[in-house]
Amino acid sequence: TYSRKKQHLYQTIIMKIVFTLLALAAFTAIVEVQGATLCECYNPFAGTPKSHIGDPGNTCPDSCYVPCDSDCRDLKPARGKDRCTSKIACDKNRMFSPIGV
């Protein structure tokens, strides 16, 4: 009947819209990741006797070291070659840490 055809048409249109939005979101995420390193703390001194200097557990909540090509909005150059810092990365690091850390 007419109402079933109309309902089927609406369902098809909605499914196409949802699929398009999901594909667009996935494509956007891929493009963002390829363009820059994520805004995450790392320790440029890891594996050295000075590893405590770059440990996010010691440097946060003030800031932590991040790759200089990261997508942190508050990226700042740090002393030393090819090192940068970010406070935002500390906030993200804390968000994913176990409770009480």
Side-chain angles (χ1 to χ4, degrees), residues 32-100:
E32 286 178 7
V33 169
Q34 288 179 348
T37 305
L38 296 177
C39 183
E40 295 178 343
C41 298
Y42 88 109
N43 186 346
F45 304 102
T48 72
K50 296 182 178 182
S51 65
H52 64 281
I53 294 172
D55 182 356
N58 295 331
T59 62
C60 290
D62 297 328
S63 67
C64 65
Y65 288 101
V66 295
C68 290
D69 66 343
S70 72
D71 63 353
C72 299
R73 293 187 317 266
D74 65 337
L75 194 69
K76 292 181 183 170
R79 287 192 328 204
K81 186 178 179 185
D82 298 327
R83 290 198 295 260
C84 293
T85 61
S86 167
K87 180 172 177 33
I88 291 173
C90 276
D91 295 339
K92 288 183 176 183
N93 197 45
R94 188 178 55 185
M95 186 179 353
F96 297 111
S97 294
I99 295 174

